[in-house]
Amino acid sequence: GELLWTPTPEAIERSNLTAYARWLESERGLAFGGDYGALWRWSVTELEDFWASIWDYFEVRASAPYERVLSGREMPGARWFSGARLNYAENLLAGRPPERLAIAHASELRELSTLSWGELAERVARCAGGLRSLGVGRGDRVVAYLPNVCEAIVAFLASASLGAIWSSCSPDFGAASVVDRFAQIEPRVLFCVDGYRYGGRDFDRRGVIEGLLAELPTVEHTVCLSYLDPEADLSGLRGALGWDELLERGRGAGLAYEQLAAEHPLWVLYSSGTTGLPKAIVQGHGGILAEQLKMGLHLDAREQDRVFWFTTTGWMMWNFLVGVLLTDASIVLYDGSPGHPDTGALWDLAERAKITTFGTSASYIAACMKASTEPARGRDLRALRAVGSTGSPLAPEGFSWIYEHLGADTWLFSTSGGTDLCTAFVGGVPTLAVYRGELQGRALGAAVRAFDERGESLIDEVGELVLTEPMPSMPLYLWNDPDGERYRESYFETYPGIWRHGDWIEITSRGTAIIYGRSDSTINRGGIRMGSSEIYRAVASLAEVTDALVVDVPRPETEGWIALFVVLADGAVLDAKLRGEIARRIRERCSPRHVPDEVRAIAAVPRTLSGKILEVPVKRILMGTPVERAASRDSLANP
């Protein structure tokens, strides 16, 4: 609970959140006196009034107004903005000053370049015209096997403008993992690249794409971007069409936006895919638009800001970053390794691109700490005013490291949310203080609670993270789940009518939050719950350990068996002395009850392509589940 940062009165005054609160007072007669807690309570109690205010405050463009904000509060089944006709891409592109910066982008293959709003709009119009010439229209699925480059955003916005349904994977996904995702939705068009560069190495993906097409018989057109090799020949692919050729087909086309129901699908996202067939999560134009407009208040993204988040097209943070274009800020894209040539790579980008909000993962901050990276040494980071972290819980030590190395004026906001809603529902609030190890607050419109086993709400205690009220970006449905059975089983089985997210959370009495990791990998001993992240923090304090994975395996007539797997630093040996030191650190920093029953050295911790540790699949393997059923090899970074 150590206080690390407090916004200045000037920062509070110029924040988007303060401007919105003043609008509520003048237009709705609602005064909250700068009390964010009171504003949040109103937003989750008076749901219809809150989301209507978001729609009006941001002046949503719609050819037909909504008849009702919300059909009812039942979950699942709540319906948002019924009767409205609109288009996500129109709300993002229309009315922009053509000369203003929209996107700055760089990669291991490309120097830092920029795209103005005028250039972005022209490319989207030409891409949409090209897709229209191929017969693509409302409801068709357009999928992308593309890196995090500006062409991916152009292709997405073009698809959305036509009413087509978008889905993407990054080219580091293995073929089988991509097929598991894309085959479910039967795409008509595939965007792809010949290859990519990561960590200084080139990866040719032409053979993989041929394999994809063999498993995706519905694909009629393959739009090929020669990214790794400008001379790459992809003409032999089924329905092959070059990126430039597609845009040439649309030359002279103007921007046109299909007017769609708010619940018309915008995109399909996927669960991690570590076990079984990934859930294909469908989200709609109206719900995602409202949620992302609201998140502009929490990001505090304003004109002249440049917002970066390190992501790939296979992670929901890519969709989240695209949504930042709904604000007056521009965004920064990067494709490549965050650790090449060293962990200073992204800080170099921050200097070159004059990034104001630097979004990253907790694991990258931990890697910088391990490597003794000094972001500000030799770099001009004066433009940088905020750092965001997500993906896994940011350790308290990570909070301290940011303030030590980037200065006391930095706004650090750790966030937590998920692919399932494509947003963060706990995280940054620009008008609130930052406490070490804590997320600033619950997002507006997100009725987040901590529940015990009986469904009772907890304060200052760890419980299940639940949402007690619907949100607009909740899935419309899961693809190929016509009766909604899998949807209900995934989120509503534990607490009927309440969304259970699968994380441990503590809501503090001051309104902040602490995330303890996945609730299905948490270790409970004698009623004392310990998140795996706490075990990792204790173990990571040892120089001999570079990575770790912990699981709690049920065993009859016992409290269970805690197994800790560690990756050792060069030259380190897992002998009795080191085992004893590991036990001591966990005993002292966590709890004597959570000392592992067994510690083993391993070559590497298994992770998904988005960097998440495979705790639950490993736990299932140790409980007897066959390896091939516990985890899909193609969804792993290091199978």
Side-chain angles (χ1 to χ4, degrees):
E2 177 189 351
L3 179 64
L4 296 177
W5 178 85
T6 304
T8 64
E10 294 78 16
I12 293 172
E13 175 65 26
R14 65 173 177 264
S15 71
N16 290 341
L17 203 56
T18 296
Y20 168 66
R22 291 221 170 103
W23 180 89
L24 285 176
E25 186 169 4
S26 65
E27 299 296 322
R28 299 292 203 264
L30 297 166
F32 297 100
D35 182 348
Y36 178 78
L39 176 61
W40 175 81
R41 284 188 292 276
W42 169 77
S43 77
V44 297
T45 304
E46 306 300 330
L47 279 184
E48 294 85 348
D49 291 345
F50 168 68
W51 288 106
S53 77
I54 293 295
W55 186 283
D56 293 344
Y57 179 73
F58 288 104
E59 299 178 344
V60 168
R61 292 173 182 263
S63 59
Y66 59 80
E67 296 162 2
R68 295 184 67 184
V69 174
L70 180 59
S71 63
R73 299 196 178 191
E74 66 282 352
M75 290 190 289
R79 293 289 176 259
W80 293 89
F81 308 114
S82 54
R85 310 289 291 181
L86 75 168
N87 189 288
Y88 176 93
E90 180 179 12
N91 278 274
L92 189 146
L93 288 165
R96 300 294 189 163
E99 71 287 346
R100 187 181 294 170
L101 175 67
I103 302 173
H105 56 99
S107 75
E108 289 191 27
L109 285 165
R110 293 174 172 176
E111 293 298 320
L112 181 66
S113 303
T114 60
L115 206 61
S116 69
W117 277 105
E119 291 168 327
L120 177 61
E122 182 195 12
R123 294 188 193 184
V124 170
R126 292 175 63 184
C127 185
L131 289 172
R132 197 179 293 112
S133 77
L134 301 178
V136 175
R138 184 186 302 211
D140 288 332
R141 273 77 71 198
V142 175
V143 298
Y145 191 57
L146 293 175
N148 184 24
V149 292
C150 58
E151 288 91 344
I153 293 181
V154 169
F156 159 60
L157 292 173
S159 301
S161 73
L162 298 172
I165 304 167
W166 173 265
S167 193
S168 60
C169 288
S170 60
D172 56 348
F173 273 55
S177 188
V178 177
V179 170
D180 282 349
R181 288 160 170 76
F182 289 168
Q184 294 186 63
I185 64 173
E186 301 178 305
R188 189 173 180 186
V189 176
L190 168 68
F191 284 87
C192 64
V193 283
D194 59 318
Y196 64 97
R197 182 172 294 167
Y198 186 90
R201 292 179 56 205
D202 290 345
F203 296 86
D204 189 323
R205 305 309 271 173
R206 287 175 290 183
V208 174
I209 294 163
E210 290 175 357
L212 290 182
L213 290 172
E215 299 293 331
L216 299 173
T218 59
V219 171
E220 299 170 10
H221 307 283
T222 308
V223 182
C224 311
L225 173 65
S226 297
Y227 176 62
L228 179 62
D229 176 10
E231 305 301 320
D233 181 12
L234 298 165
S235 61
L237 298 174
R238 183 168 75 242
L241 192 70
W243 173 264
D244 291 337
E245 185 181 351
L246 179 74
L247 265 57
E248 188 60 34
R249 281 179 173 234
R251 180 179 290 278
L255 281 169
Y257 304 103
E258 191 79 8
Q259 294 301 294
L260 308 161
E263 291 192 346
H264 184 82
L266 173 64
W267 57 47
V268 178
L269 303 178
Y270 304 91
S271 62
S272 64
T274 52
T275 58
L277 202 62
K279 297 192 297 288
I281 298 164
V282 183
Q283 291 160 336
H285 278 248
I288 286 293
L289 175 63
E291 176 59 33
Q292 291 189 335
L293 288 170
K294 179 209 74 179
M295 284 307 300
L297 302 175
H298 289 276
L299 280 172
D300 203 29
R302 304 188 295 269
E303 189 177 344
Q304 306 302 325
D305 279 344
R306 298 188 178 192
V307 178
F308 166 77
W309 215 290
F310 182 76
T311 182
T312 72
T313 58
W315 188 20
M316 58 133 301
M317 289 307 299
W318 182 83
N319 307 70
F320 183 93
L321 182 60
V322 172
V324 176
L325 289 173
L326 290 163
T327 73
D328 290 329
S330 59
I331 63 172
V332 180
L333 311 178
Y334 184 73
D335 179 57
S337 168
H340 178 78
D342 54 48
T343 50
L346 296 185
W347 302 112
D348 291 339
L349 176 69
E351 178 183 36
R352 295 199 313 274
K354 296 180 171 55
I355 290 169
T356 60
T357 299
F358 181 92
T360 185
S361 64
S363 59
Y364 177 71
I365 293 173
C368 288
M369 293 169 65
K370 280 279 188 183
S372 300
T373 302
E374 297 188 43
R377 173 170 287 188
R379 298 182 183 91
D380 181 358
L381 298 180
R382 283 176 294 179
L384 187 62
R385 65 180 179 86
V387 174
S389 173
T390 194
S392 57
L394 179 62
E397 296 84 355
F399 279 73
S400 299
W401 184 86
I402 289 292
Y403 283 98
E404 177 185 347
H405 289 275
L406 292 175
D409 295 334
T410 305
W411 171 36
L412 170 62
F413 58 97
S414 180
T415 69
S416 184
T419 299
D420 323 75
L421 281 81
C422 196
T423 193
F425 30 78
V426 189
V429 182
T431 59
L432 295 182
V434 173
Y435 292 88
R436 186 174 184 263
E438 299 177 12
L439 288 70
Q440 287 177 287
R442 291 170 279 188
L444 296 176
V448 175
R449 309 281 183 186
F451 267 18
D452 65 14
E453 295 86 347
R454 299 180 303 278
E456 300 291 333
S457 192
L458 303 170
I459 296 292
D460 292 326
E461 293 184 54
V462 179
E464 288 275 3
L465 192 163
V466 299
L467 293 166
T468 59
E469 299 286 356
M471 291 180 66
S473 64
M474 282 180 174
L476 301 174
Y477 50 86
L478 305 183
W479 202 275
N480 293 331
D481 182 33
D483 59 2
E485 180 180 357
R486 193 178 185 201
Y487 187 17
R488 288 189 297 273
E489 286 178 351
S490 298
Y491 307 108
F492 300 102
E493 199 169 57
T494 305
Y495 306 105
I498 301 290
W499 176 288
R500 173 187 173 270
H501 195 67
D503 283 338
W504 288 127
I505 187 172
E506 177 183 349
I507 307 295
T508 73
S509 48
R510 69 165 74 94
T512 62
I514 305 167
I515 300 290
Y516 290 92
R518 296 296 296 174
S519 54
D520 44 15
S521 61
T522 301
I523 300 167
N524 189 335
R525 284 293 180 273
I528 299 177
R529 294 180 176 130
M530 193 67 61
S532 56
S533 61
E534 296 170 273
I535 303 288
Y536 298 145
R537 281 208 305 277
V539 175
S541 65
L542 291 161
E544 296 90 341
V545 178
T546 62
D547 208 353
L549 181 152
V550 67
V551 290
D552 184 16
V553 181
R555 288 194 168 175
E557 300 178 2
T558 72
E559 281 197 305
W561 176 68
I562 302 176
L564 175 68
F565 300 91
V566 294
V567 179
L568 300 177
D570 290 342
V573 177
L574 184 59
D575 53 16
K577 180 180 178 183
L578 181 55
R579 282 190 169 91
E581 186 60 22
I582 289 171
R584 186 181 72 81
R585 296 287 173 104
I586 294 173
R587 183 181 298 109
E588 292 178 359
R589 299 191 179 206
C590 301
S591 150
R593 306 183 188 204
H594 295 81
V595 172
D597 297 290
E598 186 166 348
V599 181
R600 291 196 179 212
I602 56 174
V605 167
R607 294 178 183 271
T608 67
L609 288 166
S610 58
K612 295 184 185 296
I613 299 174
L614 267 75
E615 294 164 342
V616 175
V618 168
K619 180 175 178 176
R620 289 173 179 163
I621 290 168
L622 293 173
M623 292 171 67
T625 300
V627 174
E628 61 274 10
R629 283 178 48 208
S632 167
R633 293 175 64 85
D634 281 321
S635 68
L636 308 186
N638 50 355

